Amino acid sequence: MEASWENGVRSLRKSEMGSLRNLLGDVFFAELPDIQPHAINDENTSNLLVVVEDGQVVSHIATIKRHVSILGCPLKVASLGGVATYESHRGKGHASALLEKTMAVCRDEDVDYIMVSGYRNMYHRYGCRHVGKDWMFRLDQDQASDFDDSNFTISCASEEDIDALGTIYRRESVRWMRPSSDIAFGIDGWVCNSPAKTYLIKQSDRLVASAVIQQARKGDKGQGLRFALRDYAGERSAIVGVLGKFVQEQDLKEVSLHVMGCDTVLKDLLEARGLTGIQSVLPGTTMIIHFEKLLKKMRPYFIERIGENAVNGLVFKEVGDEYHVYYGGDRVVAESRGAAAQLIFGTWAGAEDAMLNVGGRAGEVLRACLPIPGVWYGVNYV
């Protein structure tokens, strides 16, 4: 996707990496490229879209693209972030041009949806929405001893553990299809723009789970710190049973973890020990790129829910700026890209209900299939 011109909207050239670093340092902070090496690197320049003026990178959007597995169905997702424009170049439409180009490229490359690490009016205009029906749980010091099971141990992972960590992670029902480099990035690096380390969770020397937990930044001091589990995989009883160990061993005031709405086992285990979750959403905002292809790829899961005959009667179609689902003579209509994201992934506010309620039999069938869960960023944050 190398451009044939010097100025304009195009992919970054390797020789311009220094200019990009200057931009990101000016808008964010100088270390950003170093803590997102999975995105800001010479091998990913085709996914680093920039506006160049007089040889200088003045605006930028980054993506990384990965395959994911949602309840056994393969989709393709782009993580988008690093949106930056020099203040002196704002108001010229650069960010909008880059986002439109990114959307077009993602569509050409069969990306089903984009995860955007943030929210701004521009994202909303292009169809990004807060979606998902997940949970957030928090464990404080006073409860830590109730989450410190003696039959589980924790220890820091090393690069020698990457294969074993991958084996544990591949058992997750909603997951990224991560190359080993993604797993290595979380061993002792930065995850979601925070220092993080991966821990092995063992029972009788058998690896049963893993957790990537936030670490203190330089200058952070002891008691009073609030850390988050940035990623986890494996046996849910083991994850619950070591939360208190993290609090006590790192002298934390609190540890939090995001629980997918479909992960009823983990949610129930946490509640059984006295924690109460609060409603949460998928990270950042979500934008649908391929409505028809995404829902067709979810057919195997839909068949599990409603049977093959019913699924064969579903028709998914993009009609102008609207997104339709037909069943028999009825239809469900999402009137915008944003509404399509709400329909597919659901919302705690129930925005999808208005679409389903007037959809007749199509609404009834879809209600049995949707919402679907989305992946949590973890080490794939941009």
Side-chain angles (χ1 to χ4, degrees):
M1 203 171 65
E2 187 76 353
S4 59
W5 58 87
E6 289 297 327
N7 294 333
V9 177
R10 58 173 172 80
S11 297
L12 184 78
R13 294 172 182 160
K14 293 180 181 180
S15 61
E16 296 167 329
M17 188 63 74
S19 183
L20 174 59
R21 292 181 69 98
N22 291 338
L23 169 64
L24 296 175
D26 181 84
V27 175
F28 298 110
F29 48 92
E31 297 80 14
L32 181 63
D34 299 320
I35 67 177
Q36 293 189 358
H38 55 311
I40 313 299
N41 64 73
D42 287 346
E43 285 68 43
N44 196 46
T45 52
S46 64
N47 293 315
L48 305 179
L49 296 186
V50 294
V51 174
V52 176
E53 292 187 359
D54 298 325
Q56 180 186 35
V57 175
V58 299
S59 190
H60 164 261
I61 282 182
T63 58
I64 59 171
K65 302 180 180 82
R66 296 285 188 270
H67 294 280
V68 302
S69 177
I70 306 293
L71 303 174
C73 302
L75 304 181
K76 190 175 182 181
V77 173
S79 299
L80 183 153
V83 181
T85 304
Y86 280 119
E87 187 172 359
S88 59
H89 289 267
R90 293 173 189 169
K92 299 180 180 180
H94 291 335
S96 295
L98 286 171
L99 184 56
E100 289 176 5
K101 180 67 173 178
T102 298
M103 293 168 64
V105 170
C106 284
R107 190 169 180 88
D108 289 344
E109 296 182 0
D110 288 330
V111 169
D112 295 296
Y113 70 94
I114 298 176
M115 298 173 65
V116 180
S117 59
Y119 177 82
R120 59 176 73 175
N121 289 336
M122 179 185 73
Y123 300 157
H124 189 92
R125 290 198 307 272
Y126 283 93
C128 296
R129 295 293 185 271
H130 292 291
V131 294
K133 303 177 75 171
D134 293 353
W135 300 92
M136 180 65 72
F137 284 84
R138 303 181 189 279
L139 172 69
D140 61 30
Q141 282 182 330
D142 294 338
Q143 299 166 291
S145 60
D146 296 329
F147 293 79
D148 184 3
D149 296 355
S150 60
N151 56 325
F152 296 116
T153 61
I154 58 173
S155 60
C156 290
S158 70
E159 292 193 357
E160 295 178 355
D161 300 307
I162 289 176
D163 286 345
L165 290 167
T167 298
I168 290 286
Y169 184 70
R170 284 190 292 273
R171 299 171 187 166
E172 295 294 304
S173 61
V174 179
R175 64 180 180 87
W176 301 84
M177 294 183 180
R178 287 175 173 158
S180 59
S181 58
D182 284 358
I183 298 172
F185 178 58
I187 294 290
D188 187 5
W190 290 71
V191 177
C192 298
N193 285 355
S194 297
K197 288 186 178 181
T198 299
Y199 287 81
L200 308 175
I201 304 173
K202 293 184 177 181
Q203 183 178 32
S204 301
D205 293 327
R206 181 174 66 92
L207 182 64
V208 294
S210 65
V212 180
I213 188 167
Q214 183 180 353
Q215 300 293 299
R217 295 174 184 264
K218 188 176 181 180
D220 288 344
K221 294 185 179 179
Q223 200 170 26
L225 294 177
R226 302 171 187 267
F227 284 175
L229 251 68
R230 297 301 193 187
D231 215 334
Y232 53 83
E235 294 182 14
R236 281 2 191 197
S237 60
I239 294 167
V240 171
V242 300
L243 290 177
K245 297 182 191 295
F246 289 123
V247 172
Q248 294 168 340
E249 292 186 10
Q250 299 192 34
D251 198 19
L252 304 179
K253 183 175 182 178
E254 176 187 277
V255 66
S256 62
L257 72 160
H258 183 101
V259 177
M260 296 180 189
C262 64
D263 197 344
T264 55
V265 172
L266 181 54
K267 178 175 179 288
D268 289 347
L269 287 171
L270 292 167
E271 290 177 341
R273 297 204 189 195
L275 295 188
T276 301
I278 60 173
Q279 293 177 353
S280 186
V281 297
L282 291 172
T285 52
T286 300
M287 177 196 294
I288 301 299
I289 296 297
H290 270 298
F291 178 79
E292 295 178 28
K293 289 185 177 180
L294 189 162
L295 291 175
K296 286 178 180 177
K297 290 177 182 179
M298 292 301 302
R299 279 174 51 90
Y301 169 67
F302 294 163
I303 289 171
E304 286 187 324
R305 299 291 299 166
I306 61 174
E308 191 161 6
N309 287 338
V311 171
N312 287 340
L314 286 169
V315 177
F316 313 111
K317 193 170 183 180
E318 298 178 21
V319 182
D321 293 331
E322 295 184 342
Y323 302 81
H324 295 192
V325 180
Y326 300 90
Y327 187 82
D330 296 329
R331 67 176 180 174
V332 170
V333 177
E335 295 183 346
S336 66
R337 188 186 301 272
Q342 294 170 330
L343 176 66
I344 291 172
F345 293 102
T347 65
W348 282 113
E352 66 277 17
D353 290 335
M355 297 176 252
L356 296 171
N357 289 342
V358 297
R361 182 65 178 138
E364 294 175 10
V365 171
L366 268 189
R367 197 183 296 276
C369 299
L370 301 176
I372 64 170
V375 288
W376 174 252
Y377 270 126
V379 300
N380 296 96
Y381 176 87
V382 177

